[in-house]
Amino acid sequence: MGKIGIFYGPAKGNVAKVATIIAQQLGEDSTDLMPIKGCDASVLDSYNRLIFGISTLGRNNWDSEHEDDDWDVFFTHLKEVNWKDKQVAIFGLGDQINYPDHFVDAIGWLHQRLKDLNVDVFGQVADDGYQYNDSEGLIDGEFMGLPLDEDNEPEKSHERIRNWLNELKQEGF
Ligand SMILES: Cc1cc2nc3c(=O)[nH]c(=O)nc-3n(C[C@H](O)[C@H](O)[C@H](O)COP(=O)(O)O)c2cc1C
C-alpha cells in the first residue's frame, strides 16, 4: 500500500502540531506530511489515502476569498484532483468553550465540498465526551471527522487520535 498523505492548514499552530502527532502514530515511513499551502492537484493525485487537517477560524474567513486562509486558497484545486479510488479522512481543531455553537464547523464545510465531488470520506466520530451546543461538522449526530480541542483538552488528543486511527483501519482506510 502507498503512503498516506497528511495535508494540513494553517501551516503553523495547533493543526500543524496535531498533524505531526498523527504522522508519528501512523509511522513516519508510511506517511508524508505537508502544509496544504502551496500544494496543487498533482501533489494530491499521488496518494490514494489522504488525511486533511483544518481549524475553524470563523465563517467570515472561510467564505471570503482571504488569501491568508490556506484551505480557501486550495479550494480552487479540489475539483482538479482525480478522486477516483481515493479515500479521505478529516480532522478538525476547534474550541468547545469559546465557540460552543460553532464547534469544529470547518469539518462540515470541508466534508460538504468533498461530498459535492463524490469523494469517500472515512472516520466519522460519535460526539460522546465533547461539550458543545452545535456544530456544522455533524450529520445525524456524528462528526464527519475527528474533532480535537488543543485549547481546552490537549491531554485528550493522543488517545482520541489513537482511537480514530484504529477506527480508520477497521473501515478499510
Ligand atoms: C478568530 C478565531 C475564530 C475561531 N472560531 C472558532 C469557531 O468558530 N469554532 C471553533 O470550534 N473554534 C474556533 N476557534 C478556535 C480555533 O479553531 C482553535 O484555537 C484551533 O486550535 C486553532 O488551530 P490553528 O492554530 O492551527 O489554526 C477560533 C479561533 C480564532 C482565533
Side-chain angles (χ1 to χ4, degrees):
M1 249 201 272
K3 285 187 172 188
I4 297 177
I6 304 172
F7 297 89
Y8 60 92
K12 287 185 182 146
N14 288 328
V15 175
K17 177 184 164 190
V18 166
T20 305
I21 297 170
I22 291 176
Q24 284 165 350
Q25 289 199 15
L26 283 167
E28 283 166 14
D29 291 345
S30 50
T31 50
D32 287 329
L33 186 59
M34 275 161 284
I36 193 68
K37 191 174 186 160
C39 285
D40 60 18
S42 68
V43 182
L44 272 68
D45 272 335
S46 48
Y47 299 90
N48 286 330
R49 291 177 295 161
L50 304 101
I51 295 178
F52 290 159
I54 191 165
S55 55
T56 304
L57 297 174
R59 184 49 118 167
N60 288 343
N61 283 6
W62 183 269
D63 275 343
S64 63
E65 297 286 317
H66 267 313
E67 298 212 344
D68 55 356
D69 184 311
D70 299 353
W71 275 105
D72 248 0
V73 171
F74 185 75
F75 280 143
T76 52
H77 298 298
L78 267 188
K79 58 182 179 304
E80 298 158 8
V81 175
N82 178 7
W83 292 106
K84 195 172 162 352
D85 298 327
K86 287 202 197 311
Q87 301 178 330
V88 175
I90 304 169
F91 68 91
L93 270 292
D95 176 340
Q96 298 161 96
I97 304 294
N98 289 307
Y99 303 92
D101 298 327
H102 293 280
F103 180 49
V104 294
D105 277 356
I107 288 180
W109 306 336
L110 180 53
H111 178 261
Q112 185 57 52
R113 279 170 161 87
L114 292 167
K115 289 322 275 180
D116 290 346
L117 296 164
N118 289 319
V119 179
D120 286 327
V121 180
F122 291 67
Q124 276 75 53
V125 174
D127 78 342
D128 306 335
Y130 295 97
Q131 306 290 329
Y132 66 98
N133 297 329
D134 204 1
S135 171
E136 292 184 40
L138 292 170
I139 295 181
D140 294 335
E142 278 198 319
F143 289 107
M144 294 298 105
L146 175 67
L148 295 163
D149 185 342
E150 282 286 311
D151 296 309
N152 307 294
E153 300 179 332
E155 73 286 356
K156 295 193 178 169
S157 292
H158 275 86
E159 192 183 346
R160 284 174 169 160
I161 291 167
R162 199 170 309 115
N163 292 340
W164 185 61
L165 293 177
N166 283 337
E167 178 61 31
L168 282 176
K169 214 179 205 175
Q170 282 175 17
E171 290 177 17
F173 181 88

